[in-house]
Amino acid sequence: MTTPLAEVLDGQHAAELRKAARALLKQPLLLSHGKHAQEFRLVRRHASELREWFDRNTGWPLHVDAETARLRKIPGVLHDSTHPACDATRAAAPFTRRRYVLLCLALAALERGESQIALGRLADQVVLDATDPGLVASGIRFTLDRRDERLDLAAVVRLLLGLGVLRRVAGDEDAYVNGAGDVLYDVERRALAGLLATRRGPSTVQAEATADRLAQLVAETALDSDDLRFRAMRQTLTRRLLDDPVLYYDELSDAELSYLTRQRGFLTARVAELTGLVPEIRAEGIAMVDPEDDLTDVRMPEQGTHGHITLLLAEYLAGAGRPVTTDQLARRVRELAAVHGTFWAKAAREPGTEAELVEQAVSRLAALGLVSRTADGAEPRPALARYAVGEPLVLEPGKVRLPAQRKARQA
């Protein structure tokens, strides 16, 4: 019996819409050219439906024109620092406070600049802007004479290259860092203009103090009716289902928990229908698991030495069921090295590297909502129980797979 043409077309439409939505969640800024050109065309084709869905369910505006598609994502939780930006070519180097300040200064300089700019010229503008009295008073100073400062500026530029804001014309950032050359870039002005994602324009902020200005940038509109309050809760919870590895009930307010209890089936079904994520509902919370294993910026498990150590420490923490100190974790790494060290990179077996290995593992587990950091270590969270020692899931003869990874926020 043949499938009616209408059903086939509906299925193709739903598949395309899902692919477009996932492309935006993975890369909220898409350009009409370059490596994401195909995804851009797909998003543009379904822009109307995507715009309506994101506006209604998350409050994230979607802007699409002939050259760019920008989903202005605002996290459900603004104080989560477990997903910093990373150097596009050196993912192990998360952005520090200094790099974020450099990023803001670089964007301001690019906004005022021409369609091409040299890295040395950009550095001069950043140094000049860093003399602002407000920055100086807060302890921010840049000369870019030191190599570590130039490394930070190079990391900022690589991030902008990855986002498509800059395109390298000639030169190499490493040469600039070493004081042996310069780099020339084209500036993609539409991509640059689309980077800012705030609830209001910075020029409308009247506060003077930095903390007050930041608070006004992300302040919600006053909610003076039940309908508006319910809409705001729906959007916040949907953002967290899309962005957070795990939505724990104990992190919600009483009103949010009550709303989620009533609307859980509706919210998870809407997210699953658009994205293909599968709801995993436990007594402690909800995780939207990705069967395709690519809608994430932090993977678990992951190949390589650091991924193996993280998985082994996850098993250890899950078995402990209580807070564990950094010293205990370091001691566990030494014990694991005696058993598994022959499979690890040589650098990971060197004496004294345990603290760094523990920090990398705990950072990854915290980013996935599997542990909470304590003053002197880490405390397992309920979702970590899936990594306790147990029988592997057999998929087919000779192959096994660990439980599906948790989805995590995009940078």
Side-chain angles (χ1 to χ4, degrees), residues 12-22 42 46 49-50 274:
Q12 290 177 346
H13 177 84
E16 279 195 359
L17 185 64
R18 176 176 297 178
K19 189 175 180 179
R22 290 174 65 90
L42 201 58
H46 298 281
E49 288 177 88
L50 291 168
L274 182 74

Side-chain angles (χ1 to χ4, degrees), residues 188-364:
E188 295 286 348
R189 304 208 68 81
R190 283 186 177 272
L192 174 63
L195 276 188
L196 188 64
T198 60
R199 295 192 175 102
R200 58 186 297 181
S203 61
T204 67
V205 174
Q206 302 298 320
E208 295 293 334
T210 300
D212 294 336
R213 291 181 64 82
L214 292 175
Q216 286 190 16
L217 274 176
V218 298
E220 295 277 8
T221 305
L223 306 175
D224 54 5
S225 72
D226 287 342
D227 285 346
L228 289 176
R229 282 189 285 272
F230 289 147
R231 177 185 174 91
M233 280 189 283
R234 181 179 71 246
Q235 291 178 345
T236 297
L237 291 168
T238 304
R239 290 174 193 169
R240 298 194 62 178
L241 288 171
L242 286 168
D243 262 357
D244 295 354
V246 187
L247 174 59
Y248 286 108
Y249 298 143
D250 62 8
E251 295 177 343
L252 303 177
S253 66
D254 290 341
E256 289 173 333
L257 181 57
S258 176
Y259 183 86
L260 180 59
T261 301
R262 298 193 309 272
Q263 301 293 331
R264 182 179 63 192
F266 169 77
L267 292 177
T268 55
R270 291 281 286 176
V271 171
E273 180 183 15
L274 182 74
T275 65
L277 297 172
V278 179
E280 183 177 293
I281 300 171
R282 300 290 183 93
E284 303 85 5
I286 304 171
M288 301 298 296
V289 179
D290 182 17
E292 296 184 31
D293 198 33
D294 70 346
L295 198 60
T296 182
D297 59 351
V298 180
R299 283 183 164 78
M300 176 75 177
E302 189 174 52
Q303 294 183 347
T305 297
H306 294 299
H308 189 206
I309 293 172
T310 301
L311 186 60
L312 292 171
L313 288 182
E315 285 185 356
Y316 173 66
L317 283 160
R322 55 175 174 75
V324 177
T325 67
T326 302
D327 288 343
Q328 289 173 318
L329 290 170
R331 185 162 57 249
R332 181 58 178 166
V333 169
R334 288 193 291 272
E335 294 170 353
L336 293 169
V339 178
H340 304 283
T342 54
F343 301 102
W344 294 357
K346 181 180 179 181
R349 304 195 301 267
E350 297 292 332
T353 61
E354 296 87 358
E356 180 182 354
L357 295 171
V358 166
E359 173 59 28
Q360 291 178 350
V362 171
S363 294
R364 182 173 294 272

Side-chain angles (χ1 to χ4, degrees), residues 5 24 27 42 67 82 145 149 154 171 296 301 308 405:
L5 178 61
L24 281 172
Q27 189 75 19
L42 201 58
E67 297 183 27
T82 61
D145 292 332
E149 288 188 337
T296 182
H308 189 206
Q405 70 174 48

